[in-house]
């Protein structure tokens, strides 16, 4: 019946007729309009004619590609996966942007760090900046929560291997003093009255970051401004000149540490994880995250959003110096050795 309907036929024909129309469906050599019309054989295409048609199609496609390139358009691939990537690049949106700082915390009672084995964790400080938005942008007057993200794996995920690392929001505050306090050295006593010392965290990088909506997921992307040349520390902690990671937020109901407001809770729709499509999801201490290495080429991965992040870095580069980092975060070089940042050496 479906076949009959497709060709505009009545379903009251004989079994023989229906069988014949079914054969037409498989081998579209004839066209039928109704039972009353005699079958009209199409003119069969010879191999030579097919070759001419194929050649003409190829020439037409080549002309369209040339026109697209001259017009500055992205060439469309026939590969479905490449088409999906191109579609995602065309529909990226920056949800938040600001400054990013990289630190590592030495292990307990370790004042001198000589290798990655002496490191307790990697810390990312995200500082959203309202002035980086254009006037009229709804995020221009966004809340200014600064966050410390802790990564126990002690490095960023490898984008080539698409490594997956868990992380969590360690500190959230509008007051920079609270961020400084978490980065500074600490002394405390254990339950067994043993004294412990945590040396001050060491800076290893500074740059520009953005959280980007990309298809059905979100990215945390950054461009490093300091240091200009990567050293041993940056290489071992997998901190690149530019990189992006897929960032996913775990549903707090899975660990029960806190409850989200109803509008944020509704984003999960019962799922265990959700993209950071609303960056307020990152404003809760103890929030668990999943970071997945994605790419070290922001433009190729994020399209217009990647270009925007690189432009932000070019503008901001004039502001930066090694001393500026310490001034912005009110840190002491004595407590936070600068060698990992300026020389790429463990300290």
């Amino acid at each position: 019946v479906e076949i009959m309907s497709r060709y505009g036929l009545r379903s009251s024909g004989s079994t023989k007729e229906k069988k014949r129309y079914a054969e037409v469906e498989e081998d579209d050599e004839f066209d039928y309009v109704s039972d009353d019309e005699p079958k009209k054989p199409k003119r069969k295409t010879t191999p030579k004619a097919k070759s001419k048609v194929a050649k003409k199609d190829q020439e037409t496609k080549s002309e369209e590609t040339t026109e697209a390139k001259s017009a500055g358009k992205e060439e469309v691939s026939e590969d479905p996966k490449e088409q999906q990537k191109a579609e995602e690049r065309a529909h990226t949106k920056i949800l938040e942007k600001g400054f990013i700082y990289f630190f590592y915390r030495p292990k307990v009672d370790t004042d001198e760090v000589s290798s990655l084995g002496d490191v307790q964790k990697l810390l990312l400080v995200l500082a959203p900046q309202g002035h980086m938005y254009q006037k009229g942008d709804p995020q221009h007057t966004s809340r200014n929560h600064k966050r410390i993200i802790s990564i126990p794996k002690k490095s960023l995920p490898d984008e080539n291997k698409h490594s997956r690392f868990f992380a969590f929001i360690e500190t959230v505050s509008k007051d920079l003093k609270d961020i400084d306090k978490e980065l500074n050295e600490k002394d405390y006593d254990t339950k067994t009255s043993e004294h412990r010392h945590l040396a001050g965290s060491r800076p290893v990088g500074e740059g520009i970051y953005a959280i980007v909506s990309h298809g059905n997921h979100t990215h945390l992307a950054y461009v490093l401004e300091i240091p200009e040349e990567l050293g041993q520390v940056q290489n071992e902690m997998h901190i690149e000149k530019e990189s992006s990671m897929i960032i996913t937020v775990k549903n707090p109901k899975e660990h029960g540490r806190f409850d989200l407001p109803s509008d944020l809770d509704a984003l999960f729709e019962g799922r265990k994880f959700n993209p950071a499509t609303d960056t307020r999801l990152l404003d809760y201490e103890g929030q668990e995250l999943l970071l997945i290495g994605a790419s070290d080429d922001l433009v190729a991965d994020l399209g217009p959003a990647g270009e925007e992040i690189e432009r932000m870095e070019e503008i901001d580069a004039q502001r930066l110096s090694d001393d500026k980092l310490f001034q912005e975060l009110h840190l002491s070089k004595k407590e936070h050795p600068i060698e990992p940042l300026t020389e790429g050496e463990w300290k």
Side-chain angles (χ1 to χ4, degrees):
V1 175
E2 183 180 346
I3 295 170
M4 308 288 284
S5 175
R6 171 178 168 181
Y7 288 90
L9 304 172
R10 295 191 298 271
S11 60
S12 59
S14 66
T15 303
K16 185 176 179 180
E17 287 177 323
K18 292 179 180 178
K19 183 177 180 181
R20 178 156 50 85
Y21 294 136
E23 291 172 352
V24 171
E25 175 72 6
E26 294 178 358
D27 183 9
D28 232 25
E29 214 171 284
F30 298 97
D31 236 348
Y32 292 87
V33 177
S34 72
D35 287 340
D36 300 325
E37 276 196 19
K39 59 182 180 181
K40 298 178 181 180
K42 291 182 179 178
R43 188 163 67 182
K44 292 186 177 180
T45 307
T46 64
K48 186 175 181 181
K50 286 182 178 179
S51 176
K52 287 182 178 180
V53 171
K55 185 177 180 181
K56 185 65 177 176
D57 288 345
Q58 185 63 36
E59 289 175 353
T60 302
K61 188 181 293 186
S62 177
E63 290 174 1
E64 290 174 350
T65 300
T66 303
E67 290 175 1
K69 286 183 178 179
S70 63
K73 297 178 181 178
E74 185 176 353
E75 183 179 347
V76 179
S77 170
E78 293 183 358
D79 185 343
K81 290 184 178 179
E82 290 300 321
Q83 289 178 351
Q84 181 181 355
K85 289 181 180 178
E87 182 72 14
E88 289 178 346
R89 285 195 294 270
H91 294 87
T92 55
K93 179 182 179 182
I94 293 180
L95 305 175
E96 177 182 294
K97 51 190 173 183
F99 303 135
I100 185 170
Y101 308 91
F102 300 83
F103 292 83
Y104 67 79
R105 170 77 75 180
K107 285 184 174 179
V108 177
D109 293 330
T110 302
D111 290 322
E112 290 291 329
V113 175
S114 58
S115 69
L116 191 62
D118 296 326
V119 174
Q120 183 188 73
K121 55 189 173 183
L122 172 64
L123 302 172
L124 311 183
V125 178
L126 303 184
Q129 298 296 312
H131 73 268
M132 301 180 76
Y133 298 92
Q134 298 295 323
K135 288 185 177 180
D137 188 318
Q139 297 186 88
H140 182 72
T141 56
S142 66
R143 68 208 176 283
N144 199 26
H145 282 137
K146 298 169 182 63
R147 319 174 188 96
I148 297 180
I149 299 177
S150 175
I151 305 177
K153 281 285 190 178
K154 303 185 287 190
S155 71
L156 296 179
D158 188 334
E159 64 277 355
N160 295 316
K161 298 178 181 178
H162 300 299
S163 305
R164 299 179 174 217
F165 289 173
F166 277 102
F168 64 91
I169 305 295
E170 188 170 291
T171 305
V172 178
S173 180
K174 289 185 178 181
D175 191 343
L176 197 57
K177 291 181 180 179
D178 295 329
I179 302 298
D180 300 340
K181 184 179 178 181
E182 290 300 317
L183 298 174
N184 291 339
E185 62 181 8
K186 299 178 181 180
D187 289 279
Y188 63 94
D189 293 321
T190 65
K191 291 182 179 179
T192 56
S193 300
E194 293 180 292
H195 185 73
R196 292 287 182 263
H197 175 72
L198 268 177
S201 55
R202 275 66 160 155
V204 291
E206 178 183 3
I208 293 294
Y209 85 93
I211 296 174
V212 182
S213 173
H214 182 231
N216 62 355
H217 53 276
T218 47
H219 285 242
L220 170 58
Y222 70 87
V223 177
L224 200 66
E225 296 174 317
I226 299 176
E228 293 185 4
E229 297 293 332
L230 303 179
Q232 179 187 4
V233 174
Q234 288 78 25
N235 290 331
E236 291 189 27
M237 304 195 90
H238 209 77
I239 299 172
E240 304 285 356
K241 287 299 292 181
E242 66 175 55
S243 185
S244 74
M245 302 163 276
I246 294 174
I247 180 169
T248 307
V249 183
K250 189 172 183 179
N251 192 333
K253 290 182 178 178
E254 293 293 315
H255 50 68
R257 292 194 182 97
F258 55 85
D259 294 320
L260 290 172
S262 58
D263 60 328
L264 294 181
D265 181 63
L267 296 174
F268 288 90
E269 297 180 339
R271 297 186 299 268
K272 290 185 177 180
F273 291 91
N274 194 71
T277 47
D278 189 322
T279 58
R280 289 180 297 160
L281 289 169
L282 306 178
D283 292 341
Y284 294 86
E285 293 181 359
Q287 180 67 280
E288 291 187 33
L289 311 172
L290 179 63
L291 303 177
I292 305 174
S295 175
D296 59 0
D297 188 334
L298 299 190
V299 175
D301 191 32
L302 302 176
E307 295 174 354
E308 173 67 14
I309 297 168
E310 290 187 348
R311 281 196 296 271
M312 288 159 48
E313 183 274 332
E314 291 174 1
I315 295 172
D316 191 64
Q318 305 171 10
R319 172 191 67 86
L320 290 177
S321 67
D322 299 341
D323 291 332
K324 194 72 176 177
L325 182 150
F326 286 87
Q327 293 172 10
E328 289 173 346
L329 298 179
H330 309 290
L331 302 177
S332 162
K333 290 185 180 180
K334 182 178 180 181
E335 189 175 336
H336 306 271
I338 197 174
E339 288 84 354
L341 176 68
T342 58
E343 301 172 22
E345 298 178 355
W346 294 109
K347 184 68 176 178

